[in-house]
Amino acid sequence: MSDAGGPYLFDVGVIALAHTEAPVRDAALSYVRAAVAGDIDAVVPYPVLIGAHTVLTTYYGRSNADASRLLQNFMDAKRIHWYDGMSEGGVRGGLSQASEVNVGGWDGYYAQIAIDEGVETVVTIDDDFERFDEFDTEVILSPDEFAELNRFLQN
């Protein structure tokens, strides 16, 4: 983990990667373990789990049952701040965020949650969140690790 400050919002890719056997999963797993243990203040929006399920079954080859079990177990973590407020205002704000910095709708929505929840750092595997000035971004994979992950996913 870097010197970036918390609270931390976890992106879909981090949650999915932590629940795989990918050779570069340790970076994601270290954040997830720290959040579960309460060592860091983590914010995880519930929709991230649905996205992680899709990623686990579509790209990482997990069965539907296995992905569901893993993510339901993760949901039992009591020290994580589970964000469950998908309001009209939050969605509108997310779409505005997406438009203003030219990112996908989900990233705009998660950025809006980060802003609304006072998140200091978004933890992610890509650099799209670096376009936002309201919080820091911790990209947990180096370019070499990201290339290794892509090679793993191609096999």
Side-chain angles (χ1 to χ4, degrees):
M1 277 178 242
S2 76
D3 293 333
Y8 299 87
L9 184 134
F10 289 11
D11 188 23
V12 169
V14 173
I15 301 302
L17 182 58
H19 290 90
T20 70
E21 299 301 324
V24 296
R25 80 177 186 149
D26 287 345
L29 192 55
S30 68
Y31 274 98
V32 168
R33 284 182 174 156
V36 168
D39 294 338
I40 62 172
D41 183 12
V43 175
V44 180
Y46 280 123
V48 164
L49 300 174
I50 305 302
H53 186 279
T54 299
V55 171
L56 286 169
T57 58
T58 303
Y59 300 104
Y60 289 105
R62 294 272 190 191
S63 70
N64 188 343
D66 191 35
S68 295
R69 178 187 54 78
L70 288 168
L71 294 169
Q72 286 174 340
N73 287 343
F74 179 54
M75 285 179 69
D76 290 337
K78 302 297 183 211
R79 294 184 175 126
I80 291 175
H81 170 76
W82 295 101
Y83 180 84
D84 64 355
M86 186 176 262
S87 67
E88 178 183 348
V91 172
R92 284 186 186 278
L95 293 172
S96 292
Q97 295 291 343
S99 174
E100 288 173 22
V101 301
N102 194 30
V103 296
W106 279 112
D107 286 351
Y109 175 67
Y110 295 137
Q112 186 63 52
I113 292 170
I115 294 164
D116 290 348
E117 292 296 302
V119 165
E120 292 184 26
T121 305
V122 172
V123 181
T124 184
I125 64 170
D126 62 59
D127 61 3
D128 286 347
F129 288 99
E130 291 180 344
R131 299 177 191 175
F132 295 94
D133 295 330
E134 295 86 353
F135 48 79
D136 292 326
T137 302
E138 176 70 20
V139 179
I140 63 169
L141 298 179
S142 70
D144 288 342
E145 290 169 321
F146 198 78
E148 185 176 357
L149 176 60
N150 284 331
R151 284 190 299 276
F152 173 81
L153 291 171
Q154 290 174 351
N155 294 329

